[in-house]
Amino acid sequence: QTTLLPVAVFVRLPALLTTIAGHHLTDPDLLEDLNGLSTMLDEYTKTQTSFDQYAAEVQSGHLRWSPPHKNPTFWKENARRILDEANGALPKKLAEILSKDWENDKQVLAIACNDVGHLVKELPERRTQLERTGLKTRVMELMVDKDESVRWESLRAVGEWLRYTFDG
């Protein structure tokens, strides 16, 4: 449940189950399974936090502009947890995501750069942890990417690094 439920919500399984339930199904076993799965997903989503949503998205390996990415309050409340949870698994996963070229979906790179910039902004004292994962080097490389949104987000992230380099 801890592995599959976050992914199920991320891929919008609850909406699919609602659609399937709208069909006139007659198989009692299928109906029972459908209701059980729907109940389990409902209970999970009631207790889910935006951190859980964010973590599931990052762990999926594919980012999209979901609400946490652009929410300053999310970053203020969760940046430390993102860096600390599971021995820094999320920054490592971000580094893995950024290591690919995403030729067919450049927005993934832009979103990852956005997230790195937020982490540096909220926890400048933890820059070294992010640098050890290779994030700073990769974000700097992306400043010359052919995609404008990737260039913009990487420039913003590098700007956060530079701000704290000269301030303190």
Side-chain angles (χ1 to χ4, degrees):
Q1 288 188 11
T2 57
T3 307
L4 294 179
L5 287 179
V7 175
V9 171
F10 175 69
V11 298
R12 297 182 176 86
L13 183 61
L16 179 63
L17 292 177
T18 302
T19 302
I20 293 171
H23 294 101
H24 299 288
L25 304 172
T26 56
D27 182 329
D29 291 335
L30 180 59
L31 287 169
E32 183 181 331
D33 289 345
L34 184 63
N35 288 334
L37 188 54
S38 293
T39 301
M40 186 188 316
L41 283 164
D42 286 345
E43 289 172 11
Y44 172 76
T45 54
K46 285 177 191 168
T47 62
Q48 185 184 33
T49 66
S50 57
F51 173 83
D52 296 324
Q53 292 172 312
Y54 177 78
E57 184 180 338
V58 171
Q59 291 299 346
S60 79
H62 191 276
L63 305 177
R64 57 185 170 76
W65 283 114
S66 59
H69 298 286
K70 290 288 190 179
N71 183 336
T73 305
F74 169 81
W75 292 103
K76 281 180 184 20
E77 293 173 355
N78 293 290
R80 189 166 307 283
R81 186 173 175 194
I82 288 168
L83 292 181
D84 292 342
E85 191 93 358
N87 294 318
L90 291 174
K92 290 172 189 163
K93 188 64 179 185
L94 278 174
E96 180 186 317
I97 290 168
L98 277 167
S99 71
K100 300 174 184 164
D101 68 11
W102 294 97
E103 213 44 59
N104 296 322
D105 195 359
K106 287 289 189 174
Q107 82 166 353
V108 172
L109 292 174
I111 296 165
C113 288
N114 168 77
D115 292 2
V116 171
H118 279 294
L119 290 169
V120 173
K121 180 179 181 179
E122 292 304 323
L123 297 167
E125 69 278 9
R126 303 283 294 274
R127 289 173 304 191
T128 307
Q129 176 187 352
L130 297 171
E131 289 170 17
R132 279 195 306 264
T133 64
L135 283 168
K136 182 179 180 183
T137 303
R138 180 61 175 146
V139 168
M140 290 179 79
E141 292 169 357
L142 291 171
M143 291 188 329
V144 295
D145 193 88
K146 64 183 177 192
D147 185 273
E148 182 180 350
S149 64
V150 173
R151 286 194 313 269
W152 170 252
E153 295 297 343
S154 63
L155 195 61
R156 283 185 52 240
V158 170
E160 291 299 333
W161 246 293
L162 291 175
R163 175 196 333 199
Y164 295 107
T165 299
F166 296 115
D167 283 356

